[in-house]
Amino acid sequence: MIAVIGEKPSVARDIARILGASEKQDGYLSGNGYLVTWAFGHLVGLAMPEAYGIQSFRRESLPIIPDSFQLTPRQVKAEKGYKADPGALKQLKVIKEVFDQSDKIIVATDAGREGELIFRYIYQYIGCGKPFVRLWISSLTDKAIREGLQNLKAGNLYDNLFRSAQARSEADYLIGINGTQALSVAAGQGIFSLGRVQSPTLAMICNRYLENKNFVPQKYWQLKLQAAKDDVSFTALSADKYDMQQSAIDTLQRIKEAETVQVKTIECKEVNQEPPFLYDLTTLQKEANTKLNFSADKTLSIAQKLYEGKLISYPRTGSRYISQDVFEEIPERLADLEKYSRFAGYAAGMKGKALNSRSVNDSKVTDHHALIVTENLPGKMEADEQAIYELIAGRMLEAFSEKCVKDVTSVTLDCVGSLFTVKGSVIKSAGWRGVFAEKEDGEDNATLPAMQDGDSLPLSDIELLEKQTKPKPLHTESSLLSSMETAGKELENAELKARMKDAGIGTPATRAAIIETLFSRQYIIREKKNLVPTEKGLAVYNIIRNKKIADVEMTGMWENTLAKIESGEMNPDTFRKGIEVYARQITAELLDVPLSFASGSGCICPKCKTGRILFYPKVAKCSNVDCSVTIFRNKSDKQLTDKQITELVTTGKTGLIKGFKSKNGKVFDASLAFDEQFNVTFVFPEKKGKPKK
């Protein structure tokens, strides 16, 4: 009997169908000598500190560095702390039973770092020792699955991939647990989440926000003239930018007296614009954010759905290249797009033409090749799915198209000693730009009249433009993803950018989740397309800005190290020791922070008599970690004020508070008081007796 494990039920069902395992069981499918089961993402993870006998959020417990990590089933929040997810426990039991009945295992979790980790953690947790092989595929089409099953890979080929994933998982734990708990302890018992990638990302957003906010614009002036030849008008800007308005006005007056402007130099050249590379996940997310205003998380979610619908290749890729063998299939894919209405005409025009091979490079294909569409044409799709599919399909057409050829003309004009410049461009052959027919930025003077050196042209108009310097814009998700890719370095050169990719922070697969974490922690919000820090986010940033935990470059170096573990160039133990040293450093730094995020009421805790009550946005609680006194601000749909909480703490009871709302929507009035265990309870006013007749 052979076991197969997929990452989620839908993928497992596809594989089961192809293997002929059609009998439904509880948590798996069976038939034809196969038992096909599945995970639900990360069923097993690293155990929380309590599992090692360590009490959390205590100064004396920090730093938390286990000698060896324990694995535990996925945890969910309970009334007190966390408990094992019942659904995870049930499925783990099923997986163990399936593995126990089998002679070997086919690993069919997603072919990447996280997919490998999901399987290996399950395998270790249930104590399995059965041999396993790997299904490694880049799309979920029936053809790809069949070919993959015929070419199963030895499981040990992916040991380094697992080591890299495990090193990432343990590093995130050590830095996240210690950073979060150290800052929270120092700040007075609020929970302030920090993380290996999360904190440098927050730092980049806050840094850009403060830079933008504190920017002082400087005024400057330019002159704009209008001239014409052969009934073709055009405008040109002064080469000089004037810091003093009067200088600009003086020049303007001098030019006004002139009637003509002379052509000083003309440069005409043919410019060949190579097509863009295919998408990896990050460039797809950036484009979708810019063009469609989709968040990185939304784009990933849609791409994953298209992948599971067998319409595109594996989305969590960091490569913008395909291998030669995949390139051989591209003509068929382009021919398929002749049946897709939006691209039918363009795709038909590519038939028989030599395809551009710029995106073909075997050596630059990582675990998975760049994003391409599969042989399966979509049926009816949701509008958002269609938009992402068309970005990927359109980019594929662009990448394999001819160059765009333009004639670019640069002209320098002279008017009484002042120079003006203008550029014009004419597309000779649209090539890849014909797919979406989008106009380039800055094409105001698309066509210039024919001119020669020394030509004297009539001056039609001259005007003064008042301008001002602009700050760097606030981060959008698109610009943030670019910064994460290059560890915050502002790089324009495409080749340099590509080289820096290995030193970025996060991976294409994780960056969206990091950004979403900052939203869920209430560190950032969206204002239109911009990412703006909240007061809470800025408060955290002000503490960590000069600390190691916010060091973007260091985090980028770690990502590079993880890639080296994956390739077998580095021992994971070396990385682990470095992370442990770092965890001790950040813990010491953060425990020294002399700041509280909570406002203190000055009220002594009525229960322990030693702590004082600290106010937070959603709760008031005792500063003594051993004391359980907690007052939630939201009580039966009523927000308690600081004054009401102070009254409760100091006297044991509030006055009558109006406007509580019961579960069935009934409004009522009541006082609040502590019971014997210092839980908050309602005290209802005595009902007045009915007057006697």
Side-chain angles (χ1 to χ4, degrees):
M1 197 69 76
I2 297 172
V4 182
I5 180 167
E7 192 162 315
K8 54 178 66 175
S10 58
V11 176
R13 281 194 289 270
D14 280 336
I15 295 168
R17 174 173 51 77
I18 289 166
L19 292 171
S22 55
E23 295 169 35
K24 288 184 181 177
Q25 313 292 342
D26 190 9
Y28 68 102
L29 294 149
S30 64
N32 202 27
Y34 291 95
L35 302 172
V36 183
T37 188
W38 50 82
F40 299 103
H42 289 271
L43 288 181
V44 174
L46 300 177
M48 296 306 282
E50 288 71 17
Y52 307 96
I54 299 169
Q55 287 186 293
S56 286
F57 295 96
R58 289 178 172 267
R59 188 177 286 268
E60 62 271 22
S61 298
L62 296 171
I64 297 165
I65 300 176
D67 292 330
S68 63
F69 282 96
Q70 295 177 27
L71 295 174
T72 186
R74 184 165 63 211
Q75 303 289 292
V76 291
K77 272 191 174 179
E79 279 188 26
K80 290 186 178 178
Y82 288 83
K83 66 173 186 177
D85 178 355
L89 287 174
K90 184 184 176 187
Q91 193 59 17
L92 284 167
K93 189 180 175 194
V94 170
I95 293 168
K96 185 173 184 334
E97 288 169 359
V98 165
F99 285 5
D100 286 348
Q101 294 175 59
S102 305
D103 304 309
K104 76 169 183 179
I105 303 160
I106 296 174
V107 183
T109 50
D110 280 357
R113 192 192 278 176
E114 290 309 295
E116 194 66 26
L117 189 71
I118 285 168
F119 164 70
R120 298 285 186 117
Y121 272 1
I122 291 171
Y123 185 80
Q124 288 182 9
Y125 177 74
I126 63 178
C128 186
K130 299 284 175 73
F132 58 88
V133 289
R134 203 45 163 109
L135 176 71
W136 195 269
I137 52 179
S138 284
S139 77
L140 290 176
T141 62
D142 287 8
K143 181 186 172 190
I145 293 171
R146 285 196 180 93
E147 286 177 358
L149 289 167
Q150 288 167 9
N151 295 281
L152 293 166
K153 312 289 186 184
N156 61 9
L157 289 176
Y158 301 94
D159 286 353
N160 284 335
L161 180 66
F162 164 61
R163 289 185 186 111
S164 167
Q166 185 182 32
R168 193 278 308 150
S169 170
E170 292 176 359
D172 285 352
Y173 179 100
L174 289 171
I175 295 169
I177 291 278
N178 286 298
T180 297
Q181 295 202 14
L183 181 58
S184 301
V185 167
Q189 295 308 296
I191 305 297
F192 295 92
S193 168
L194 299 180
R196 181 180 66 91
V197 183
Q198 171 193 320
S199 297
T201 305
L202 174 65
M204 286 195 292
I205 295 168
C206 291
N207 191 43
R208 177 65 65 85
Y209 170 78
L210 293 169
E211 201 179 318
N212 181 284
K213 190 181 174 187
N214 298 328
F215 181 81
V216 179
Q218 302 294 317
K219 283 186 180 179
Y220 68 94
W221 290 263
Q222 265 185 298
L223 301 174
K224 182 168 95 172
L225 66 72
Q226 188 171 333
K229 186 183 179 186
D230 302 332
D231 295 326
V232 179
S233 291
F234 63 92
T235 58
L237 280 175
S238 62
D240 287 333
K241 294 176 180 178
Y242 300 89
D243 295 331
M244 305 296 291
Q245 186 179 16
Q246 193 57 51
S247 301
I249 292 171
D250 291 346
T251 308
L252 175 77
Q253 295 300 337
R254 199 168 70 249
I255 291 173
K256 271 187 174 178
E257 293 169 12
E259 294 179 358
T260 59
V261 56
Q262 275 68 44
V263 177
K264 188 176 175 71
T265 62
I266 293 181
E267 186 187 357
C268 297
K269 59 180 180 182
E270 187 177 270
V271 175
N272 293 313
Q273 286 187 322
E274 290 282 0
F277 290 111
L278 293 162
Y279 285 132
D280 63 359
L281 176 59
T282 302
T283 48
L284 174 67
Q285 288 169 317
K286 284 158 57 177
E287 199 91 336
N289 183 248
T290 303
K291 291 183 174 177
L292 306 169
N293 202 20
F294 287 2
S295 71
D297 188 60
K298 180 175 178 176
T299 299
L300 174 55
S301 174
I302 294 169
Q304 185 68 22
K305 195 172 175 184
L306 293 172
Y307 168 67
E308 289 170 18
K310 312 177 195 301
L311 297 174
I312 65 168
S313 62
Y314 184 67
R316 289 176 166 85
T317 176
S319 176
R320 300 188 68 182
Y321 296 88
I322 58 170
S323 53
Q324 188 63 43
D325 61 328
V326 175
F327 185 48
E328 287 164 12
E329 298 174 19
I330 293 298
E332 289 176 37
R333 299 281 189 282
L334 299 179
D336 291 337
L337 288 172
E338 292 177 40
K339 300 170 196 153
Y340 190 87
S341 59
R342 180 168 186 187
F343 301 123
Y346 190 93
M350 291 181 75
K351 192 176 276 182
K353 289 184 179 177
L355 298 183
N356 194 308
S357 59
R358 190 166 179 253
S359 291
V360 184
N361 190 325
D362 285 57
S363 67
K364 291 186 177 180
V365 175
T366 51
D367 293 341
H368 293 279
H369 57 66
L371 273 161
I372 57 173
V373 300
T374 67
E375 64 268 29
N376 297 335
L377 279 173
K380 189 163 174 60
M381 291 183 285
E382 300 281 332
D384 290 350
E385 289 171 31
Q386 183 178 330
I388 294 296
Y389 179 83
E390 288 183 357
L391 278 182
I392 296 165
R395 172 54 57 90
M396 201 169 113
L397 289 167
E398 288 178 333
F400 299 114
S401 289
E402 297 170 331
K403 300 171 184 175
C404 170
V405 183
K406 299 194 296 186
D407 279 337
V408 177
T409 305
S410 301
V411 183
T412 304
L413 304 166
D414 185 337
C415 191
V416 292
S418 293
L419 299 182
F420 292 77
T421 59
V422 60
K423 266 190 182 179
S425 68
V426 176
I427 292 177
K428 289 171 71 175
S429 170
W432 64 271
R433 285 197 170 277
V435 176
F436 291 109
E438 291 172 342
K439 190 180 175 185
E440 272 190 283
D441 292 338
E443 289 184 342
D444 297 336
N445 290 301
T447 307
L448 291 175
M451 290 181 272
Q452 292 181 343
D453 288 359
D455 275 357
S456 183
L457 310 177
L459 178 64
S460 311
D461 192 25
I462 180 77
E463 61 179 305
L464 182 64
L465 304 178
E466 185 180 294
K467 297 184 174 185
Q468 60 181 27
T469 54
K470 291 180 179 177
K472 283 181 184 171
L474 296 174
H475 269 308
T476 61
E477 283 200 44
S478 178
S479 69
L480 181 63
L481 287 165
S482 287
S483 288
M484 291 174 83
E485 248 187 332
T486 57
K489 287 185 167 55
E490 305 289 331
L491 301 173
E492 299 298 327
N493 184 295
E495 283 186 25
L496 194 57
K497 263 189 172 177
R499 285 206 298 274
M500 276 295 299
K501 276 185 96 170
D502 291 337
I505 63 172
T507 64
T510 59
R511 285 172 190 141
I514 294 295
I515 297 169
E516 289 304 311
T517 298
L518 294 175
F519 284 116
S520 68
R521 305 290 188 226
Q522 298 175 334
Y523 287 168
I524 62 171
I525 56 170
R526 283 190 188 88
E527 287 185 358
K528 297 181 178 174
K529 276 192 177 184
N530 298 323
L531 302 178
V532 176
T534 60
E535 282 188 29
K536 183 180 179 183
L538 282 170
V540 171
Y541 168 70
N542 282 326
I543 291 169
I544 65 170
R545 61 193 304 171
N546 299 316
K547 306 279 189 296
K548 287 185 184 298
I549 199 160
D551 190 330
V552 176
E553 285 198 31
M554 184 178 287
T555 307
M557 282 161 37
W558 285 335
E559 221 63 64
N560 191 256
T561 304
L562 290 170
K564 285 181 177 176
I565 295 171
E566 189 174 324
S567 64
E569 296 171 63
M570 179 170 278
N571 186 322
D573 290 341
T574 308
F575 176 72
R576 164 79 186 263
K577 284 170 186 165
I579 291 290
E580 286 181 4
V581 169
Y582 175 83
R584 288 188 173 93
Q585 288 173 335
I586 61 160
T587 302
E589 281 188 342
L590 292 168
L591 284 173
D592 280 345
V593 170
L595 179 78
S596 175
F597 286 89
S599 59
S601 65
C603 303
I604 300 297
C605 174
K607 184 180 181 182
C608 70
K609 311 294 186 188
T610 58
R612 60 190 181 91
I613 299 299
L614 299 175
F615 288 126
Y616 298 97
K618 293 182 179 180
V619 72
K621 62 192 295 186
C622 180
S623 61
N624 179 359
V625 293
D626 294 319
C627 182
S628 61
V629 169
T630 303
I631 305 157
F632 291 96
R633 285 190 181 272
N634 192 318
K635 188 78 173 170
S636 293
D637 219 29
K638 182 82 177 174
Q639 284 293 119
L640 301 181
T641 64
D642 288 358
K643 188 177 176 183
Q644 289 164 337
I645 293 171
T646 302
E647 187 181 13
L648 173 64
V649 170
T650 51
T651 67
K653 184 180 175 184
T654 69
L656 189 69
I657 300 172
K658 295 185 175 183
F660 292 109
K661 196 178 281 185
S662 67
K663 286 180 181 176
N664 60 13
K666 191 176 176 183
V667 178
F668 65 93
D669 305 335
S671 299
L672 297 176
F674 287 124
D675 64 13
E676 290 178 1
Q677 284 77 44
F678 287 89
N679 297 313
V680 180
T681 60
F682 290 113
V683 179
F684 296 97
E686 291 182 17
K687 289 183 179 177
K688 293 176 182 175
K690 290 181 180 178
K692 292 178 182 178
K693 289 182 179 177

